[in-house]
Each structure stands twice: as C-alpha cells, then as structure tokens.
Amino acid sequence: MILKRLEISGFKSFAQKTELNFNFPITAIVGPNGSGKSNIAESFRFVLGEQSFKSMRGKRGEDMIFSGSPKARRANFAEISLVFDNSDRRFSGVDFDEVRISRVVHRDGENSYRINGSRARLKDVIELLSAVHIGASAHHIISQGETDRILNAKPLERRGMIEEALGLKIYQHKRKDSEKKLLKTEENLREVRSLRRELAPRIEFLKDQVGKVEKARFIQGDLTDLYKEFLKREFVYISSNRKRLETEKEEPERRLNEVNEEIERLREEVARDETAEYKNSRVFELERSQRGLDERRGDVLREIGRIEGEIHYHQNRIKYLEDSAKTDPSVAWSNVSSFLEEVDNDINKIEGEHSIEEVKRIMGSVRVRIRDFLGSFSGDSAEIRSEKERIENDLYLLEDEKKGKRQVIEDLKKEADKLMEERRYLQEEIAKDRSVSRQAERRMFECMNEQQSIRSGLEKIRRDISDLDKIDAVFKYEIQEAARIVGSFVLDYRDHEINTENQDVLSDEEIAAENREEQENRRKEIERLKIRLEELSVGSHKEIMDEYEEVSERDEFLAEEVSDLERSIESLRKVIADLEETIENRFQEGLARINDVFQDFFVEMFGGGNASLRKIRVKTSHSSFEEGGDDGDEETQDSFEGLEIAVSLPHKNVKGLLMLSGGERALVSVALIFAMSQVNPPPFLILDETDAALDEANSRKYSSLVEKLAQQSQLILITHNRETMAGAGMLYGVTMDSGGISKILSVRLGPEEVGATDQ
Ligand code: ATP
C-alpha cells in the first residue's frame, strides 16, 4: 500500500489540523451531506498539484482556505500533506522510507510545495509523482458526479480520458511539447531563412565592394611603390639641387660683397673732389692776393722811379750848379743834348703810359727838368752853394725814401713768393687729386660692371632656387596627398632604396642626375593610378572588409543555424512520429484490454449483453467537436479518431446510452471506470459517491467489483452506501460542528476490533 497518511490544516471546512491514516486496502469515508467528505477528496487533488481551482469547486487559492464562521476565526493558510510509503524505494531518488509531499496556499495567493520538508517546485512534485503513476487530475480521483462525465463526454474527450487512464498522457505531453517545439523550430527556421534572404543582397553588394577593395588595394600597392620612388627621387632632386645652388651662390655672393665694399670705398675716393673745390677757390683767392701785391709793387716802383727822377734831377742840378760856379755861361752841347735826351725819354714814357696820373706825374718832372736846365745858366755861387746844400739834403732824404721803398718792394716780393709757393702747391694737389679721382671712377665703372654681372648671375641662381622652392612646395603637397591616399607609412620614403636592374642601390648623385622627363612620366603614372583608385572608390576599406567579414560570419552562423534547425526539425519529426507510433500502439493495445475488462464487468453487472469502446471519426469545426459518421469516413485535416461507447443490454433491444435508465447509466460508467482502472491500475483510487445511484442488488455487484479493484489499488471510498462501507477496513466518519468545522471520527471495522476514536 502506497498511501499512509493525509494531514489537513485550514483547508476548506477542515479548520483544525486533522489526520487520516490509510492502513487498509479500502478506507471508507462516511458522513452526512455537507459534512466535508468531498473536501477530503479535493484535498488529495490539491496536494498532488491540481492547478484548476474549478475542479476543486473554487475560483482561486483563497477559496481553499477555511473561511471562518460566526464561531470560528478564518484561517490564514491551508496546508495539506500526503505521506507515501517508500520502504520499497518506489520513489526513485528519495532515500527515505516515507515521502511527504506538502502544499501550502496563503490568502495573498502565495503557494508553495515541499518534498520531505524541502522547498520544491510544482514541476519537481509532478515528476516525482508521475514516476509512480500518480497525477493531480488523473483518473484515480473520481469526483462526485464524475461517473456520468465519461458517458456524457464527446468522443474526443472520451478518448482523452482513456489515453490518460492508459498512461499515454505523458507521451502526449511529450508529443505536444515536441510539436510545439517543432512549430517554434519551423518558425525559427522561417525567420532565419528570411534573415538570410534579407542578408543576401547585402552580401552580394559587399562581395562586389570587397572585389573593388581588393583591386583598389592592389593598385594602392603599386601606387605606394611608385610614390615611394617618386618621392624619394623628388626629395633627392630638390635637396641636391638646393645644395648645389647654395654652393654656387656662395662665391658670387662673397665676391659681390667685396665689389660692393670696393664701390663704397671708390665712391669715397671720388667724393674727394669736394676738397678740390676748396683748393680751387683757395688758388683763386691766392691769385687775387698776388695781383694785389703786384699792383702795390707797381705803385712802389713808380714811387721809386719818381724818387729816382727827383734824385737824378737833384744830381743834375748839383752838377749844373757846380758847372755854373765855373762861370762858364756857355752851355755845353753835351748838357743840351743830355737835357734833350732826358726830355725825349720822358716824352717816350708818356706815350707808352695809359694812366693819366702817371702822365701827369711825368709831365711834372719834365717841367722841373726844364726849370732846372734854364736855372743852370745863372751864376750866384753863394746861392749856388746853399742851393747845392739844400739839394744835397733833399737828395739824402730822397735816397732814404728810395731805400725804404726798396725795402717795401723786397717785402712785397717775399710775400708774393709765399703766395706763389702756396698756389703752386695747391695746383699740384689739385692736379694730383684729379688724376686719383679719375682712376677711382674708372675702377668704379669696372666694379659696377662686375657687380651687374654678378647680380645677374646671382639672379639666375635665385630664380633657380625659387623654381626649386615651387617644386618643393608641390612636393610637400604631394607628400600629404600620398599619405592621404596610400597611408602614412609612405612618409618613410627617404629610407626607400632605388635599385638598378642589377639590384645595385642608386646613389643620390645618380638619382639627381636623372632626366626630369622620367620623373614627369612617374607623376603621370601616379595620376593615372589615382584616377583608377578614385573610380574604385568604395568608402572606407576597413569598414567594408569588417562589415563583409561580420555579415559573412553572420550568414555562416545563420546557415549553420538553418542546418541545425533543419536537423532539429527532422529529429523532432522523428520523435513525434515515434511518439505517435508508441501512443497508437499502446492505445490500440490498451483499448483492446479495456474493452475485454469492460465487457467482463458489464456482463458481471448486467448478467449479459455487450459493451465496448469503439473508434469513431469525428470532424472538428470551430474548435468544437461534432460526432461524425462511420469508421469509413475519409480522413481530412480536421478529422480525428474519437471513442464512443457501444452497449447492448441483455434481453433488451436497447442500443445506445441515451435510452438507458439512470441506474443503468451508472452501472455502465462504473464498469467502464473500473475497467480503465484495472488495465493500468493506479497506486490508489478515490471514488466519491460513485455508487450513489445504485440500488441494493447493484450495490452488491459494485462492492464485489470494488474488492477486485482493491487487489490492484488502494481504495478510498466516499459513500453513503452500507454495502460499500461493509467492504472497508477502516471507516472515517465526518461530521460538521455548529462552527462549520469538519471533524473526523475513525472506526476500525473488522472481525477482531471495532472501535471509535475521536480525532
Ligand atoms: P455530500 O454528502 O452532500 O456530498 P459532503 O460531505 O461531500 O456532502 P462537502 O461537499 O465535502 O460535503 O462539504 C461542503 C461543506 O464544506 C459545505 O458545508 C461548505 O460550506 C464547506 N466549505 C467549503 N469550502 C469551505 C471553506 N473555504 N471554508 C469553510 N467551509 C467550507
């Protein structure tokens, strides 16, 4: 016997903790209507994990809890424990002699399970119980009025009941699970395929792009090599030419500095002419002074002449006087001719003189001469003497004056000599300066010529440098362009080696010596490759490659997913087919056995006749079942195989359930239910007033069938029927007190002991 004990607390009318032991094959529960007997059957359902509160006559968990009465407080929770015997370890995996399953429901809806005191999930409970062929709503708890259910059921429902009784539900669940899985998997497959379909154009596009990227990379490779050579050559060309030009520039620049300096110096030399001007004016001044001196000398000389004339006159006077003294009144011819000669001289002088003053002066002296000549004809000696003295005195004075004048002449001459000397010196200087300046000018002219030629030479170099600067500017731009197009690694172009065909490395000189045309050709080739790259322009290579890789990976992943899903579908279909086969085989076999026992029990109940479950084709419409025609019906998509009950009563021409009496219906259903139990006996069976409609004679037959069932399953019978009670080893009386609380009274029936204990 598997059932040991039921403990109820707070469940429906069982407000207080109540314990029912099941130590006999048959236990009967008796009591007046409404005392709480059915609540006990429901407590079984509850603890076994029933999820339908409706099947326990409630709407929600709270309805399972004692709701209180005017005399008793309501309970906060309901707890049921069912204890199974496990001494034979029929519950696999549980190494205890007892298995205790508990379920608690609280008013707030919290619901929990325990297996041997440990918290468990409903799933664990169901698994544990299904292993010993016990389920919550299974056929082993036949509720009140349920006997009729199998008769009233539609063919498909009935088939379901039979399948459940045959223990096929587990396979059907499995099949349903597999079908659900299949549907889900097929859905997944469709989704994955559609994802692949969606992906396909993108992959195609990316493949095309990747092709372009690869081609572009190839060109880029060529372009990189070309760029490196081009940039290297350009760099060498520019730097060596710059070096050359800088060197070429050095000498002319140095020379130009020299020339410039020389020109500067020469310019100073030429500028010396300024002193020449001073010198010239000084010379002019000296000349003027000289002329002044000459004039003064002339004046002084004339003075001297006058003085000499006077002296001469005085001397002649003296001579005359002396001659007169010799009283010779005659005048010697010599005197007259010398007198005439002197006068003639003076006249000559006058004729050659321009100065009026001088003419006047000479005329004065002529007059004196004439007077003196005439005077020399008179003869007074005293007078002559004094005259002679006076004249001599005058002569003395005149000689002195003449001497003074001579000195002046002397001084003037000295002064004039000094001036002359200075003038000569200056004129020499001027002449010398003039010659130096002329030389400087000549040299300056030469220098300027040289300066001009150096400048134009330098100008050419500068033009070359400026041209080189332009090339350099373009080169700098090209470096940036190259880095932008083929990547920054091209910037190490300086380390790039250029080889000859013999793999010798070209020197910088050799590189620079190359014809520029070759470099131009390279530039054109670069431009050509750039254009080709441009044409292949597909956006960021990395992004495309990354995306292609990502998308291809995703596609591969999806492709694998597709084959996985296809495999899953295949295996699920196989599982379903296997399950269907198993279900079908077991169903056929089980149905045959149920029919055998059904027939036997039917005959036993009715004393003859026939009863069987027959397969019937039914069609479904709008999810409701309709009974269909015969077996021969064509199978359609909506056509299923149900079961109908075929009976024929002995001695009566009654076929079909509708024509049976209430009692007859009860007998048929009992026979069928019992047959179902017999074929796949559950460990225990609860029958809630299954015998309610039977008369005494049939009650006896029922009782004998119950005994047969008890050989296979432990029975708990809720009954009002004495015949039924008589077969029980233990009798529990249920009463309800005035507080609406159910109580249990146990009575052990049997030959050796009959007693009653209050619980
Ligand atoms: P019958 O012989 O007529 O079938 P029974 O002995 O099977 O009657 P039950 O149907 O088991 O009686 O018990 C019904 C009783 O249980 C009713 O009196 C009902 O009020 C009481 N009951 C049901 N649910 C609760 C609840 N949550 N709290 C208190 N009492 C409850």
Side-chain angles (χ1 to χ4, degrees):
M1 285 179 296
I2 186 168
L3 274 183
K4 284 186 93 171
R5 194 163 64 251
L6 175 73
E7 294 167 11
I8 315 177
S9 174
F11 184 81
K12 290 203 166 182
S13 54
F14 289 91
Q16 289 152 4
K17 188 169 178 190
T18 308
E19 207 176 282
L20 282 87
N21 290 294
F22 305 105
N23 299 325
F24 295 89
I26 302 174
T27 302
I29 294 169
V30 302
N33 290 141
S35 58
K37 300 185 295 294
S38 293
N39 290 345
I40 292 172
E42 278 155 11
S43 74
F44 272 92
R45 284 188 188 277
F46 179 76
V47 75
L48 295 176
E50 176 62 85
Q51 295 300 295
S52 155
F53 291 113
K54 204 175 142 204
S55 72
M56 295 181 287
R57 294 180 295 168
K59 281 185 183 150
R60 52 189 177 269
E62 207 175 353
D63 296 338
M64 300 299 115
I65 304 169
F66 176 65
S67 59
S69 69
K71 288 191 176 173
R73 279 184 55 205
R74 67 174 197 171
N76 287 327
F77 63 92
E79 180 172 5
I80 310 285
S81 295
L82 190 55
V83 181
F84 295 97
D85 177 56
N86 190 34
S87 51
D88 56 2
R89 300 291 184 269
R90 70 180 90 195
F91 290 91
S92 58
V94 184
D95 203 16
F96 294 99
D97 284 349
E98 283 186 347
V99 169
R100 179 191 176 87
I101 293 172
S102 312
R103 182 179 180 184
V104 179
V105 67
H106 289 261
R107 287 206 174 269
D108 60 5
E110 193 196 317
N111 186 70
S112 61
Y113 297 88
R114 284 179 188 275
I115 296 173
N116 282 1
S118 303
R119 204 69 192 233
R121 294 168 300 171
L122 170 61
K123 194 168 164 268
D124 304 327
V125 173
I126 289 172
E127 268 176 24
L128 187 69
L129 291 172
S130 65
V132 292
H133 197 45
I134 301 172
S137 57
H139 59 283
H140 52 244
I141 301 172
I142 311 293
S143 302
Q144 208 173 341
E146 210 179 339
T147 39
D148 227 23
R149 200 162 69 85
I150 194 148
L151 299 189
N152 293 335
K154 289 177 177 160
L156 280 180
E157 280 180 283
R158 191 176 294 121
R159 178 178 171 138
M161 290 173 181
I162 299 296
E163 282 172 347
E164 192 175 323
L166 288 171
L168 298 182
K169 275 283 170 226
I170 187 159
Y171 299 107
Q172 274 168 338
H173 282 307
K174 279 185 189 165
R175 187 185 65 183
K176 231 173 223 150
D177 279 355
S178 300
E179 278 169 350
K180 264 192 214 158
K181 267 190 209 156
L182 180 63
L183 281 177
K184 186 91 198 111
T185 312
E186 282 170 342
E187 176 65 29
N188 283 348
L189 182 63
R190 272 194 297 282
E191 274 174 22
V192 174
R193 277 182 175 153
S194 113
L195 282 178
R196 277 198 80 193
R197 266 197 304 281
E198 278 169 27
L199 226 50
R202 185 75 191 148
I203 290 181
E204 271 312 300
F205 169 75
L206 285 172
K207 220 185 252 172
D208 184 50
Q209 297 293 90
V210 164
K212 282 186 180 172
V213 166
E214 274 161 4
K215 219 182 267 176
R217 281 189 173 168
F218 190 72
I219 293 172
Q220 222 164 15
D222 286 355
L223 192 55
T224 306
D225 293 345
L226 194 56
Y227 251 136
K228 279 195 174 177
E229 178 169 0
F230 174 82
L231 292 176
K232 168 77 180 229
R233 281 186 181 276
E234 202 67 352
F235 170 71
V236 171
Y237 173 80
I238 292 168
S239 43
S240 57
N241 273 297
R242 195 181 289 286
K243 208 159 134 196
R244 175 179 61 74
L245 289 169
E246 291 298 337
T247 318
E248 268 178 25
K249 207 171 67 165
E250 267 170 25
E251 178 51 28
E253 268 178 352
R254 192 193 59 74
R255 181 66 200 135
L256 184 65
N257 274 343
E258 271 179 15
V259 172
N260 283 345
E261 275 168 23
E262 194 171 354
I263 288 174
E264 205 48 43
R265 194 165 46 74
L266 289 169
R267 222 187 278 284
E268 272 170 29
E269 274 180 24
V270 172
R272 274 204 199 162
D273 270 357
E274 285 166 22
T275 61
E277 201 174 307
Y278 159 74
K279 283 174 186 165
N280 282 329
S281 72
R282 176 68 185 147
V283 167
F284 184 70
E285 200 179 295
L286 285 171
E287 281 170 351
R288 208 171 54 212
S289 302
Q290 262 182 329
R291 271 198 307 280
L293 280 180
D294 281 349
E295 268 175 29
R296 275 181 63 200
R297 192 167 160 261
D299 287 349
V300 175
L301 278 174
R302 268 188 298 279
E303 282 288 301
I304 288 172
R306 181 190 56 87
I307 291 168
E308 279 178 343
E310 273 183 39
I311 288 173
H312 189 69
Y313 168 72
H314 284 307
Q315 282 171 337
N316 284 337
R317 181 91 186 123
I318 286 173
K319 204 172 171 190
Y320 173 72
L321 283 176
E322 281 171 351
D323 287 344
S324 301
K326 289 168 187 170
T327 62
D328 189 359
S330 63
V331 176
W333 176 250
S334 61
N335 281 357
V336 176
S337 73
S338 88
F339 170 71
L340 290 172
E341 199 179 316
E342 279 171 4
V343 172
D344 193 45
N345 270 349
D346 284 342
I347 290 166
N348 282 344
K349 269 185 192 167
I350 288 167
E351 278 172 353
E353 192 55 65
H354 303 291
S355 160
I356 300 288
E357 291 299 310
E358 193 62 15
V359 171
K360 277 179 182 172
R361 191 187 59 81
I362 297 170
M363 290 291 279
S365 75
V366 170
R367 186 182 292 122
V368 170
R369 205 177 298 277
I370 295 168
R371 203 182 292 145
D372 281 352
F373 183 71
L374 292 177
S376 62
F377 292 108
S378 61
D380 184 356
S381 59
E383 274 177 13
I384 291 171
R385 270 193 307 271
S386 80
E387 181 71 9
K388 204 178 152 189
E389 275 172 19
R390 194 187 45 88
I391 292 168
E392 280 172 349
N393 193 39
D394 282 352
L395 264 175
Y396 178 78
L397 287 172
L398 284 167
E399 282 297 338
D400 202 40
E401 194 183 355
K402 186 183 158 185
K403 206 174 154 191
K405 295 287 179 195
R406 286 268 176 228
Q407 189 57 48
V408 170
I409 292 289
E410 200 62 31
D411 288 349
L412 283 173
K413 188 175 178 302
K414 272 184 190 159
E415 203 174 334
D417 285 350
K418 229 165 93 191
L419 291 180
M420 188 65 183
E421 183 61 27
E422 192 185 349
R423 206 183 83 184
R424 202 169 32 246
Y425 170 76
L426 281 174
Q427 277 170 336
E428 272 172 23
E429 277 289 294
I430 286 166
K432 220 194 295 169
D433 281 356
R434 204 165 283 151
S435 125
V436 167
S437 152
R438 259 198 302 278
Q439 260 179 23
E441 269 174 5
R442 230 183 353 262
R443 179 70 196 131
M444 196 148 93
F445 183 70
E446 279 168 17
C447 283
M448 277 171 149
N449 271 347
E450 191 180 350
Q451 188 191 47
Q452 193 51 41
S453 101
I454 294 173
R455 273 186 182 157
S456 65
L458 277 174
E459 192 46 45
K460 193 192 165 308
I461 294 175
R462 284 204 190 99
R463 262 201 315 276
D464 288 352
I465 290 177
S466 154
D467 288 348
L468 206 59
D469 284 344
K470 281 179 204 151
I471 294 175
D472 200 17
V474 173
F475 171 60
K476 299 246 160 62
Y477 169 76
E478 275 162 343
I479 294 173
Q480 285 177 4
E481 180 82 352
R484 188 181 66 76
I485 293 173
V486 299
S488 59
F489 54 88
V490 82
L491 297 177
D492 64 5
Y493 60 87
R494 287 188 206 189
D495 303 333
H496 182 71
E497 284 182 350
I498 301 174
N499 297 317
T500 61
E501 281 173 9
N502 306 332
Q503 297 307 308
D504 294 332
V505 178
L506 282 182
S507 70
D508 282 1
E509 290 72 32
E510 287 168 317
I511 291 172
E514 190 198 49
N515 190 338
R516 285 297 278 169
E517 234 173 69
E518 297 290 323
Q519 188 71 333
E520 265 321 301
N521 290 340
R522 263 176 225 114
R523 194 195 302 277
K524 279 180 197 153
E525 178 62 9
I526 285 173
E527 284 311 313
R528 197 181 64 79
L529 291 179
K530 265 158 68 175
I531 290 168
R532 282 192 61 198
L533 260 188
E534 193 78 13
E535 284 166 358
L536 288 170
S537 140
V538 284
S540 158
H541 290 187
K542 190 175 173 328
E543 270 173 29
I544 287 166
M545 297 309 269
D546 284 357
E547 194 189 345
Y548 179 65
E549 204 172 309
E550 193 187 307
V551 174
S552 311
E553 262 174 31
R554 177 142 175 74
D555 188 56
E556 270 168 38
F557 172 76
L558 290 176
E560 263 172 45
E561 192 93 328
V562 165
S563 49
D564 280 357
L565 287 169
E566 282 170 347
R567 270 199 297 280
S568 295
I569 286 171
E570 205 179 308
S571 74
L572 278 170
R573 282 191 178 138
K574 171 125 182 35
V575 165
I576 291 167
D578 289 352
L579 281 170
E580 274 171 354
E581 200 183 315
T582 307
I583 291 168
E584 188 56 28
N585 291 343
R586 294 204 178 187
F587 179 72
Q588 297 297 355
E589 187 196 329
L591 184 67
R593 278 163 56 209
I594 287 174
N595 271 338
D596 283 354
V597 183
F598 185 28
Q599 173 67 25
D600 287 354
F601 285 173
F602 186 84
V603 169
E604 203 163 318
M605 288 284 195
F606 289 95
N610 288 301
S612 68
L613 288 168
R614 280 203 326 217
K615 284 193 217 161
I616 181 176
R617 256 298 126 212
V618 288
K619 282 182 185 160
T620 57
S621 79
H622 306 292
S623 77
S624 68
F625 299 105
E626 278 174 16
E627 297 213 10
D630 296 319
D631 280 352
D633 264 5
E634 283 257 326
E635 192 172 342
T636 66
Q637 274 234 309
D638 300 321
S639 164
F640 295 93
E641 211 172 41
L643 286 176
E644 66 170 4
I645 302 171
V647 287
S648 70
L649 296 185
H651 322 300
K652 287 183 184 175
N653 197 12
V654 170
K655 286 187 177 140
L657 293 172
L658 284 173
M659 296 166 77
L660 296 181
S661 75
E664 284 168 343
R665 283 176 69 85
L667 281 176
V668 172
S669 69
V670 166
L672 181 53
I673 287 168
F674 283 11
M676 282 156 64
S677 300
Q678 276 293 88
V679 167
N680 191 16
F684 66 91
L685 186 61
I686 299 169
L687 300 168
D688 189 354
E689 297 191 36
T690 320
D691 52 4
L694 303 181
D695 61 17
E696 213 178 317
N698 282 330
S699 293
R700 268 197 299 279
K701 289 177 191 167
Y702 176 83
S703 176
S704 77
L705 283 187
V706 161
E707 269 170 34
K708 260 189 201 162
L709 288 187
Q711 289 165 12
Q712 314 268 6
S713 307
Q714 201 174 354
L715 295 180
I716 293 160
L717 308 171
I718 296 169
T719 185
H720 292 290
N721 196 310
R722 290 185 177 281
E723 285 294 335
T724 312
M725 285 180 219
M730 183 73 170
L731 201 68
Y732 283 110
V734 184
T735 57
M736 183 171 276
D737 65 12
S738 56
I741 295 172
S742 295
K743 300 255 164 129
I744 291 285
L745 192 77
S746 73
V747 182
R748 185 175 289 175
L749 301 171
E752 66 281 349
E753 193 187 333
V754 176
T757 37
D758 260 331
Q759 290 255 331

